[in-house]
Amino acid sequence: MARTGHEGRSEKQGRKRSSQPPLLEWISAGVGLLLTLAVLGALTWEGLAGPNGAPPAVEATISRITPVRVGYVVEIELRNRSSATAAAVEIEGELTRSDGTTATSTATVDYVPGESTRNAGLFFEDDPRRHRLKVRALGFAEP
């Protein structure tokens, strides 16, 4: 069967149409490009701006006191209110008894990222609920 020139043109037009990506592919590619550029822009901004220069601001608060076999565990929540990261954060709990004597417990938290919280525990022989207990962060190192 011989082909006419008319049939040849419709085959070329069909091939031409199918070689162009559909509109949905263009939209998907555009969204992907915008997301990639947004992430790269945010990373570049963070890299250039860096930390705001403020040191870590670590606050220690008592979250719970639990009796254990050897005494009591005072669970401490450390909250870093700065964007700077603190490493090797030393915390101290000082228990002052009614007779004026004190007991001290310390702990080290390896890493407290900026704008985050971490938990730690301090051990005491006496019940901290019956005495005055003060907790605080003593210091940190830069990671």
Side-chain angles (χ1 to χ4, degrees):
M1 181 166 163
R3 291 188 178 189
T4 64
H6 197 60
E7 288 174 357
R9 264 192 239 147
S10 64
E11 280 182 26
K12 286 181 184 178
Q13 287 175 345
R15 275 189 252 140
K16 194 174 192 180
R17 284 185 192 147
S18 65
S19 68
Q20 292 180 353
L23 179 62
L24 187 57
E25 284 185 33
W26 281 107
I27 292 172
S28 297
V31 169
L33 176 65
L34 288 176
L35 288 174
T36 302
L37 291 175
V39 168
L40 289 174
L43 290 173
T44 302
W45 177 259
E46 281 292 319
L48 293 176
N52 60 8
V58 180
E59 297 174 359
T61 57
I62 299 168
S63 59
R64 188 167 70 168
I65 299 172
T66 308
V68 293
R69 185 178 289 178
V70 295
Y72 296 85
V73 173
V74 177
E75 294 179 43
I76 307 296
E77 180 181 89
L78 297 171
R79 180 176 301 273
N80 187 352
R81 298 199 181 270
S82 170
S83 61
T85 299
V89 178
E90 293 283 331
I91 57 171
E92 175 187 68
E94 184 178 73
L95 183 74
T96 304
R97 298 180 189 96
S98 56
D99 63 0
T101 60
T102 61
T104 304
S105 181
T106 61
T108 303
V109 178
D110 292 333
Y111 187 73
V112 184
E115 305 296 339
S116 72
T117 59
R118 291 292 183 264
N119 296 306
L122 300 173
F123 293 103
F124 290 97
E125 290 179 4
D126 295 330
D127 187 351
R129 296 170 290 200
R130 301 174 128 206
H131 306 287
R132 196 182 94 205
L133 177 62
K134 185 172 102 174
V135 296
R136 65 187 180 126
L138 294 176
F140 67 93
E142 288 189 18

